[in-house]
C-alpha cells in the first residue's frame, strides 16, 4: 500500500493537465522499451524482468521468456490489425511497450511514462497522439498501482493476467478491464473442488501482495460456507529471506493437513518449492491457482517429485494462427536498437550478438555470435502457439481495443470487463487423498466442538438416550418420535415396549386365581344359604338381603378380571363403572342389614313399632335407592367424559404404559366417595349395635367388616396415586379383592361355621337332634323378644351349657336387671 500511495503522489507530481494550452511535460523516466509510431497509440506494460530494480533503475535483471512472448504477441496483434483494412481503415495503430520488472513501483513509472508525450512524436502537431489505451499488467499488485495512477485520467487499462477480485470495484477503478476471469470465480471454483473431494482440513499459502491476499480471502469466505476449515495461512514472497521461507516450511511439517492451496504467482512460489523438495516433504496434495499451475518451473523433474499431481483451474487455451512464423523471425539483426530482443537471443541461441556491448550482456555466456544463427527450426516451448493461455489474453485485449476504437483523434475508449467462463483442470493422481482434522463421526455419534480449535476439529460423542444419528458426520442427534426409542447403537429408532397388566404374567395369574377363588367361595356360600334357608341362623340373618349381598360380592370378585389385558375403550368404561355399581350394591345390602339389626335390637321402649316398619319392601327400597344413585353417577360419567385407553410415557423412557385414563377424575373420585359414604354410615350404625347378644350380634360382624373395608380403601388412595405404571392397576385390584374378601369372611364365615358345625355335630348313631335344637332356638327368639318388650329396665343374656361330649345341650335366655 505504501508503494501504491507513493506511486500516486509521484504521478500527481509528474503529470499536469492544462486544458487551455495542452499537455506540458514536467519530467521523464529513462525507461527503454519497444516503440512504433501510429495514428492511435496503445501502451503495453509487461514483467519482462522478474527481479525488482534498484534505485539506479538499471535493467540488468533476470529475463522472463514468458513475458517476452507476451510483448511479441501484442506487436503481432497490432501488425495484424494494421494489415487488415476491414478493422481500422486508413488508421494505423502504434505501440510503446515498457518493462515493469514485476514491481508495482516500476509499473507506476512505466504507466506515467506512457501517459506523458512521447519523444518520438512531432511537437508541431496540434494534438499529438497520446496513449488511447493500455495493455497492463501481469500481476494484480502492479495493475492496482497502474489503475490507481491512471484511473483519474480515464485511461482504459486492459489486463491480461491480473485476477484480483478487488480490481472489479468500478467506483475505485472505473477504467480497468481484463480478459481473464476474476479471482472471485476462481475462488468459488476452488472451494467447490475442495468440497467435491471431501477435503475438510486444508492449509493455504498466499503471496504477500494483493493477488495472494485477496485470493485467499475470497477462497476462505467460500469454503466456510461449505464447512471446510483452513488450518493455517502461510505467506511468502520471492524477496523474502530464507528464514521466513523456512518458517512456512516448518508450519507445513507440523500441521496435519494433507491438502494445501497455493494462491501465489510462480515466481513468488518457486523459493518455497525448492525448500519443500530439499526437505523431502511429500504426501501433500497441492492445489494451485492459475498463476503457477501451468508454469514451467513447477514441471521440472526436481520439483515434480513433491508437486507432481498438483490440481487447479486454468484459463482456456487457444491457438493464434500465423504467430509461429512471426516468433521465429525475431532477430537482433533486424532491428539492432530493439530492447529485450538481445536478451532473448542470448538465452535462446546461446551467444551474444556481435553488436552487443559487453556491459549490457546478461553474462550467460561469453561466446560471440557469428551472425548466421537462426531460430527458424527451434522446437522450444516458446514457439508452441497451439496451447496459448495468457498470450491469447494479450491477443484478445489488443483486438478488443481495436474493435472499440472510433477513428477520431484525442478519444479515450472504455472497454467492458471480459469474463472467461471456460475453465478446466487436470488431475494426476489415481487415488484421492484424505485431509481431515477429525475423522467423520460414525452413525450413532455427533460432533462435539473442541474449544479453541476450528470447527473441523471435533470429538465424537455418543448420542443421548432417545436420540439417534443415522448418518456419518452428523452435527446433532435427532430425537426419536414419542412412540419410539433409540437402539443400543443409537443409529435407529425402534418402537418402545408396551406394558400393561396381562393374564399370563405372574401378577396377572395370581390376581386371576384369587378372583376366581373368591367368586367360587361366594357361590359356595350362596349355595349353603339357599340349601339351609329354613334354619334359624339363616332366617335370623335376613336371607333375602344375604343373597343380594352374596350376589354383589360375586360380581365384585369378577370385577378384577376386567382390569387385565390390553386396555380398550369398552374395557376401560366397563372396569370403572362395574366396580362402582357392584360395590355400591354390596354396601347398600350391608347398610340394609345394619339398619334391620340396629332397629330390631335398639327399640328399647315397650310396644315400640319402629322395627316393624323395616320389612322386606323397605329393605329392597333401601338397596335399590342407594344403588341407583351410583348408577346415575356412572351414567353421567360415561356421557360427559368417559374413561378411555391412554399411553403414558412419564414412568419409563423405554416403555409405553397402556392404561385406562379415568377421563374425569372428579367423576372417579365421586364414585369412590359415594362408596365411602355408604361404608361410613354402615360403620356408625353397626358400632351403635355392638353390644347385642353374642350369639346374634350381627352388628359386630358388620362393624368388623366395615373397619376392614374402610382401612383398605383409605390405604388405597395414596398407594393408587404413587404407584407407577401397571402397578396402579394392581393396587386397585388389590383393594377390590381385599375389601370383598373382608366382607365375605366377616359377615358370612361365622354363619357358615355354625351351620356346618350343627350339620356335623349329630350323634354317631345317626340320630339327629336338630329338631330339638331348632325348637330351642325358636323358643330362645320368642323369649328374647318378650324379655325386651315386657321390661325395658332389664337386659338379656344368653347362656349355654355343654354336655359331656362338648356339644351345646341347652341354650336359654335370662332376663336380668340392668
Amino acid at each position: 500500500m505504501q508503494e501504491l500511495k507513493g506511486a500516486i503522489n509521484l504521478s500527481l507530481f509528474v503529470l499536469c493537465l492544462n486544458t487551455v494550452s495542452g499537455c506540458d511535460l514536467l519530467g521523464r523516466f529513462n525507461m527503454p522499451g519497444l516503440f512504433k509510431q501510429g495514428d492511435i497509440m496503445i501502451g503495453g506494460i509487461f514483467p519482462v524482468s522478474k527481479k525488482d530494480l534498484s534505485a539506479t533503475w538499471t535493467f540488468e535483471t533476470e529475463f522472463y521468456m514468458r513475458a517476452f512472448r507476451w510483448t511479441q504477441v501484442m506487436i503481432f496483434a497490432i501488425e495484424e490489425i494494421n494489415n487488415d483494412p476491414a478493422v481500422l481503415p486508413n488508421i494505423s495503430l502504434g505501440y510503446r511497450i515498457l518493462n515493469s520488472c514485476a514491481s508495482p513501483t516500476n509499473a507506476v513509472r512505466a504507466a506515467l511514462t506512457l501517459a506523458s508525450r512521447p519523444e518520438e512524436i512531432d511537437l508541431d502537431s496540434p494534438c499529438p497522439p497520446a496513449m488511447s489505451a493500455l495493455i497492463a499488467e501481469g500481476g494484480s499488485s502492479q495493475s492496482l498501482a497502474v489503475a490507481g495512477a491512471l484511473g483519474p485520467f480515464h485511461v482504459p487499462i486492459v489486463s491480461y493476467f491480473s485476477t484480483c477480485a478487488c480490481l472489479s470495484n468500478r467506483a475505485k477503478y472505473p477504467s480497468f478491464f481484463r480478459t481473464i476471469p476474476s479471482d472471485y470465480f476462481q475462488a468459488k471454483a476452488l472451494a467447490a473442488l475442495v468440497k467435491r473431494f471431501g477435503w475438510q482440513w486444508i492449509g493455504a499459502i498466499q503471496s504477500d501482495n494483493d493477488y495472494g491476499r485477496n485470493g485467499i480471502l475470497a477462497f476462505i469466505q467460500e469454503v466456510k460456507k461449505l464447512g471446510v476449515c483452513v488450518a493455517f495461512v502461510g505467506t511468502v514472497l520471492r524477496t523474502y529471506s530464507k528464514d521466513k521461507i523456512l518458517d512456512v516450511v516448518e508450519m507445513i511439517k507440523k500441521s496435519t493437513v494433507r491438502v494445501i492451496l497455493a494462491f501465489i504467482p510462480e515466481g513468488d512460489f518457486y523459493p518455497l518449492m525448492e525448500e519443500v523438495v530439499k526437505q523431502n516433504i511429500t504426501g501433500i496434495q497441492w492445489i494451485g491457482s492459475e498463476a503457477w499451475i501451468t508454469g514451467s518451473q513447477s514441471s521440472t523433474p526436481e520439483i515434480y517429485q513433491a508437486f507432481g499431481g498438483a490440481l487447479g483451474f486454468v484459463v482456456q487455451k487457444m491457438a493464434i494462427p500465423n504467430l509461429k512464423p512471426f516468433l521465429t523471425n525475431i532477430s537482433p539483426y533486424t532491428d539492432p536498437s530493439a530492447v529485450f530482443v538481445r536478451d532473448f537471443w542470448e538465452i535462446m541461441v546461446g551467444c551474444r550478438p556481435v553488436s552487443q556491448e559487453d556491459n549490457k550482456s546478461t553474462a550467460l555466456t561469453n561466446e560471440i555470435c557469428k551472425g548466421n544463427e537462426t531460430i527458424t527450426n527451434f522446437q522450444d516451448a516458446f514457439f508452441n502457439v497451439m496451447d496459448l493461455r495468457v498470450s491469447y489474453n494479450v491477443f484478445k485485449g489488443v483486438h478488443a481495443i481495436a474493435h472499440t476504437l472510433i477513428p477520431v483523434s484525442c478519444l479515450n475508449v472504455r472497454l467492458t470487463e471480459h469474463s472467461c467462463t471456460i475453465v478446466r483442470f487436470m488431475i494426476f493422481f489415481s487415488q484421492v487423498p484424505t485431509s481431515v482434522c477429525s475423522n467423520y463421526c460414525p452413525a450413532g455419534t455427533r460432533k462435539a466442538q473442541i474449544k479453541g480449535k476450528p470447527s473441523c476439529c471435533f470429538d465424537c460423542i455418543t448420542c443421548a438416550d432417545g436420540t439417534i444419528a443415522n448418518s456419518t458426520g452428523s452435527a446433532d442427534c435427532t430425537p426419536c418420535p414419542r412412540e419410539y426409542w433409540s437402539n443400543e447403537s443409537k443409529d435407529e429408532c425402534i418402537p418402545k415396549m408396551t406394558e400393561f397388566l396381562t393374564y399370563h404374567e405372574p401378577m396377572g395369574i395370581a390376581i386371576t386365581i384369587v378372583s376366581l377363588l373368591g367368586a367360587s367361595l361366594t357361590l359356595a356360600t350362596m349355595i349353603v344359604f339357599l340349601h339351609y334357608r329354613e334354619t334359624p341362623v339363616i332366617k335370623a340373618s335376613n336371607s333375602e338381603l344375604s343373597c343380594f349381598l352374596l350376589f354383589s360380592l360375586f360380581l365384585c370378585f369378577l370385577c378384577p378380571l376386567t382390569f387385565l389385558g390390553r386396555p380398550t375403550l369398552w374395557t376401560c368404561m366397563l372396569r370403572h363403572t362395574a366396580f362402582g355399581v357392584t360395590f355400591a350394591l354390596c354396601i347398600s345390602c350391608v347398610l340394609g342389614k345394619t339398619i334391620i339389626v340396629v332397629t330390631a335390637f335398639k327399640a328399647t321402649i315397650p310396644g315400640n313399632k319402629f322395627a316393624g316398619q323395616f320389612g322386606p319392601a323397605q329393605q329392597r327400597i333401601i338397596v335399590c335407592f342407594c344403588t341407583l344413585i351410583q348408577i346415575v353417577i356412572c351414567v353421567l360419567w360415561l356421557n360427559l367424559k368417559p374413561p378411555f385407553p391412554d399411553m403414558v410415557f412419564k414412568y419409563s423412557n423405554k416403555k409405553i404404559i397402556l392404561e385406562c385414563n379415568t377421563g374425569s377424575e372428579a367423576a372417579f373420585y365421586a364414585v369412590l366417595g359415594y362408596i365411602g359414604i355408604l361404608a361410613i354410615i354402615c360403620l356408625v350404625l353397626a358400632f351403635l349395635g355392638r353390644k347385642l347378644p353374642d350369639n346374634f350380634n350381627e352388628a359386630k360382624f358388620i362393624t368388623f367388616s366395615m373397619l376392614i373395608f374402610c382401612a383398605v380403601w383409605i390405604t388405597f388412595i395414596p398407594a393408587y396415586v404413587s404407584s407407577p405404571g401397571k402397578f396402579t392397576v394392581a393396587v386397585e385390584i388389590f383393594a377390590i379383592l381385599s375389601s370383598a374378601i373382608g366382607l365375605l369372611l366377616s359377615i358370612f364365615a361365622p354363619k357358615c361355621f355354625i351351620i356346618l358345625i350343627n350339620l356335623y355335630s349329630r350323634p354317631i348313631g345317626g340320630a339327629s337332634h336338630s329338631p330339638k335344637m331348632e325348637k330351642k332356638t325358636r323358643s330362645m327368639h320368642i323369649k328374647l323378644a318378650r324379655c325386651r318388650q315386657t321390661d325395658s329396665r332389664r337386659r338379656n343374656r344368653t347362656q349355654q351349657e355343654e354336655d359331656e361330649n362338648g356339644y351345646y345341650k341347652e341354650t336359654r335366655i335370662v332376663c336380668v336387671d340392668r
Side-chain angles (χ1 to χ4, degrees):
M1 291 298 295
Q2 292 179 350
E3 286 184 332
L4 180 58
K5 292 179 180 178
I8 295 175
N9 293 334
L10 184 61
S11 67
L12 295 177
F13 172 75
V14 175
L15 292 179
C16 179
L17 296 179
N18 192 327
T19 57
V20 178
S21 59
C23 300
D24 296 332
L25 183 64
L26 301 182
R28 187 179 303 279
F29 292 115
N30 184 19
M31 302 187 71
L34 300 173
F35 176 82
K36 181 180 179 180
Q37 181 66 42
D39 297 328
I40 298 177
M41 298 295 293
I42 300 177
I45 302 177
F46 299 91
V48 181
S49 299
K50 293 200 300 182
K51 289 186 178 179
D52 200 0
L53 298 178
S54 64
T56 58
W57 302 340
T58 60
F59 293 86
E60 308 267 343
T61 57
E62 182 180 353
F63 191 76
Y64 191 19
M65 292 288 289
R66 191 183 184 190
F68 176 72
R69 185 169 65 177
W70 297 343
T71 65
Q72 299 306 305
V73 170
M74 178 178 173
I75 296 173
F76 170 79
I78 290 176
E79 295 294 340
E80 185 180 64
I81 293 170
N82 287 337
N83 295 330
D84 187 355
V87 181
L88 293 174
N90 302 322
I91 296 178
S92 63
L93 295 179
Y95 59 83
R96 188 177 184 186
I97 301 173
L98 300 179
N99 180 18
S100 68
C101 296
S103 167
T105 303
N106 289 311
V108 172
R109 294 171 184 158
L112 297 178
T113 299
L114 294 175
S116 63
R117 181 167 24 190
E119 295 179 351
E120 298 85 354
I121 66 172
D122 185 5
L123 298 179
D124 296 333
S125 175
C127 186
M131 294 298 164
S132 297
L134 195 61
I135 303 294
E137 225 283 12
S140 297
S141 296
Q142 298 91 289
S143 292
L144 285 169
V146 173
L150 300 185
F153 307 110
H154 298 285
V155 177
I157 302 168
V158 181
S159 176
Y160 48 90
F161 207 25
S162 298
T163 59
C164 181
C166 56
L167 288 165
S168 299
N169 189 338
R170 279 283 169 263
K172 294 180 65 175
Y173 312 109
S175 60
F176 179 83
F177 309 93
R178 49 187 163 193
T179 57
I180 189 171
S182 164
D183 282 336
Y184 170 76
F185 303 103
Q186 184 175 198
K188 290 179 70 70
L190 290 172
L193 182 68
V194 169
K195 184 64 176 180
R196 171 63 179 81
F197 286 103
W199 297 322
Q200 295 199 354
W201 184 240
I202 66 173
I205 305 294
Q206 66 180 9
S207 56
D208 193 8
N209 51 34
D210 296 284
Y211 171 78
R213 288 189 294 268
N214 286 278
I216 289 296
L217 179 62
F219 173 77
I220 292 177
Q221 291 175 347
E222 290 298 324
V223 294
K224 280 185 176 180
K225 301 175 184 177
L226 303 175
V228 180
C229 300
V230 178
F232 63 84
V233 177
T235 304
V236 296
L237 198 63
R238 67 183 184 277
T239 57
Y240 270 10
S241 63
K242 188 173 182 180
D243 291 340
K244 290 186 177 181
I245 300 297
L246 291 176
D247 290 341
V248 177
V249 173
E250 196 65 24
M251 185 186 302
I252 295 173
K253 291 169 64 177
K254 290 182 179 179
S255 177
T256 59
V257 299
R258 287 294 172 263
V259 176
I260 300 178
L261 167 67
F263 215 102
I264 183 173
E266 183 182 13
D268 293 333
F269 193 32
Y270 189 71
L272 181 62
M273 285 182 171
E274 289 182 316
E275 198 60 39
V276 168
V277 172
K278 181 180 178 180
Q279 298 196 25
N280 193 27
I281 301 175
T282 57
I284 294 178
Q285 174 62 51
W286 291 90
I287 303 176
S289 62
E290 91 295 338
W292 70 271
I293 193 64
T294 58
S296 58
Q297 290 179 319
S298 58
S299 302
T300 58
E302 61 274 9
I303 298 298
Y304 186 82
Q305 59 178 322
F307 292 87
L311 183 65
F313 289 90
V314 297
V315 182
Q316 181 184 14
K317 62 181 180 181
M318 296 293 291
I320 300 179
N322 304 320
L323 176 61
K324 186 172 182 179
F326 179 84
L327 296 179
T328 56
N329 287 330
I330 299 175
S331 174
Y333 307 113
T334 303
D335 184 6
S337 61
V339 296
F340 314 137
V341 177
R342 297 181 182 276
D343 296 322
F344 161 75
W345 191 264
E346 186 172 350
I347 295 173
M348 187 64 67
V349 179
C351 63
R352 288 182 295 141
V354 294
S355 60
Q356 185 178 8
E357 299 178 3
D358 293 340
N359 59 350
K360 294 184 179 180
S361 172
T362 58
L364 294 177
T365 178
N366 293 325
E367 184 179 351
I368 303 299
C369 295
K370 298 178 181 180
N372 58 354
E373 292 82 5
T374 180
I375 57 175
T376 303
N377 297 321
F378 274 33
Q379 299 300 321
D380 191 84
F382 180 86
F383 303 104
N384 181 7
V385 298
M386 301 305 295
D387 297 328
L388 300 176
R389 303 183 191 279
V390 182
S391 297
Y392 187 72
N393 287 342
V394 175
F395 182 80
K396 288 189 296 183
V398 175
H399 274 269
I401 293 173
H403 282 79
T404 54
L405 285 174
I406 300 175
V408 292
S409 60
C410 298
L411 179 65
N412 291 331
V413 179
R414 299 188 183 186
L415 303 177
T416 59
E417 181 177 353
H418 177 79
S419 177
C420 178
T421 58
I422 302 178
V423 292
R424 59 176 180 259
F425 64 89
M426 297 185 64
I427 185 168
F428 298 98
F429 49 78
S430 58
Q431 184 176 1
V432 179
T434 59
S435 183
V436 293
C437 180
S438 299
N439 292 324
Y440 284 103
C441 290
T445 62
R446 64 173 179 85
K447 296 178 181 178
Q449 188 64 41
I450 301 175
K451 187 177 181 180
K453 291 189 177 182
S455 59
C456 295
C457 300
F458 49 82
D459 292 327
C460 295
I461 305 297
T462 303
C463 291
D465 291 338
T467 61
I468 64 165
N470 55 6
S471 61
T472 59
S474 298
D476 294 301
C477 297
T478 305
C480 291
R482 196 180 183 188
E483 294 80 9
Y484 292 81
W485 194 249
S486 56
N487 58 357
E488 291 295 330
S489 57
K490 302 296 189 298
D491 59 356
E492 183 182 2
C493 288
I494 57 177
K496 290 182 179 180
M497 296 176 57
T498 57
E499 184 180 83
F500 53 91
L501 197 57
T502 62
Y503 289 97
H504 57 267
E505 63 179 296
M507 186 182 300
I509 294 173
I511 290 172
T512 303
I513 293 174
V514 174
S515 179
L516 294 178
L517 181 61
S520 300
L521 290 176
T522 305
L523 284 177
T525 304
M526 186 180 296
I527 293 173
V528 170
F529 265 60
L530 291 175
H531 186 268
Y532 296 100
R533 60 184 177 276
E534 297 300 329
T535 61
V537 174
I538 302 299
K539 290 182 177 181
S541 63
N542 197 328
S543 59
E544 185 177 0
L545 283 180
S546 296
C547 289
F548 274 119
L549 179 57
L550 287 171
F551 175 72
S552 63
L553 285 175
F554 175 77
L555 295 179
C556 289
F557 277 114
L558 295 180
C559 275
L561 299 180
T562 63
F563 286 79
L564 300 177
R566 179 182 290 271
T568 63
L569 180 61
W570 290 105
T571 58
C572 286
M573 291 191 297
L574 176 63
R575 67 172 59 171
H576 290 98
T577 55
F579 153 72
V581 173
T582 54
F583 264 87
L585 175 61
C586 178
I587 304 302
S588 298
C589 293
V590 175
L591 179 60
K593 291 174 68 67
T594 306
I595 293 174
I596 295 300
V597 171
V598 172
T599 56
F601 290 96
K602 285 296 183 179
T604 59
I605 301 175
N608 193 339
K609 304 298 183 181
F610 184 72
Q613 296 178 1
F614 289 92
Q618 288 77 14
Q619 298 169 16
R620 297 188 193 101
I621 291 173
I622 291 174
V623 173
C624 293
F625 178 76
C626 294
T627 307
L628 182 61
I629 294 176
Q630 186 73 301
I631 293 174
V632 171
I633 295 175
C634 292
V635 170
L636 293 175
W637 185 8
L638 294 178
N639 280 279
L640 297 178
K641 199 173 183 181
F644 60 90
D646 192 13
M647 293 187 295
V648 181
F649 301 90
K650 63 181 180 180
Y651 298 120
S652 175
N653 290 327
K654 298 182 180 180
K655 296 180 181 179
I656 300 176
I657 308 299
L658 300 182
E659 65 177 24
C660 287
N661 191 307
T662 57
S664 173
E665 291 188 0
F668 175 69
Y669 287 109
V671 168
L672 292 180
Y674 180 71
I675 296 174
I677 292 173
L678 293 179
I680 292 173
I681 294 174
C682 287
L683 177 62
V684 172
L685 293 177
F687 181 78
L688 295 176
R690 69 189 182 280
K691 294 183 180 181
L692 296 179
D694 294 338
N695 283 20
F696 300 94
N697 196 357
E698 185 88 355
K700 287 185 178 180
F701 299 141
I702 295 175
T703 303
F704 186 70
S705 65
M706 288 298 101
L707 286 174
I708 296 176
F709 185 89
C710 292
V712 168
W713 286 100
I714 290 174
T715 308
F716 159 77
I717 295 176
Y720 179 83
V721 173
S722 61
S723 298
K726 63 182 181 181
F727 296 102
T728 305
V729 181
V731 168
E732 190 171 356
I733 293 174
F734 173 79
I736 294 173
L737 293 176
S738 300
S739 56
I741 292 173
L743 289 173
L744 179 65
L745 295 180
S746 299
I747 297 176
F748 294 100
K751 297 178 177 59
C752 292
F753 177 77
I754 294 173
I755 293 173
L756 295 177
I757 287 298
N758 290 334
L759 178 64
Y760 294 102
S761 62
R762 297 174 180 177
I764 298 176
S768 175
H769 58 270
S770 57
K772 183 179 180 180
M773 292 294 297
E774 291 179 2
K775 184 177 180 180
K776 289 184 177 181
T777 303
R778 286 195 296 268
S779 176
M780 178 183 64
H781 275 282
I782 294 170
K783 189 173 182 180
L784 175 63
R786 289 175 179 176
C787 178
R788 297 189 60 85
Q789 291 177 3
T790 56
D791 192 352
S792 61
R793 295 176 299 173
R794 307 175 70 187
R795 64 184 182 89
N796 57 78
R797 185 179 63 185
T798 60
Q799 293 182 349
Q800 292 179 341
E801 296 181 4
E802 297 180 358
D803 58 13
E804 62 275 8
N805 294 323
Y807 294 102
Y808 291 110
K809 66 179 182 179
E810 184 178 3
T811 301
R812 59 192 179 89
I813 296 177
V814 180
C815 293
V816 298
D817 294 335
R818 292 182 180 272

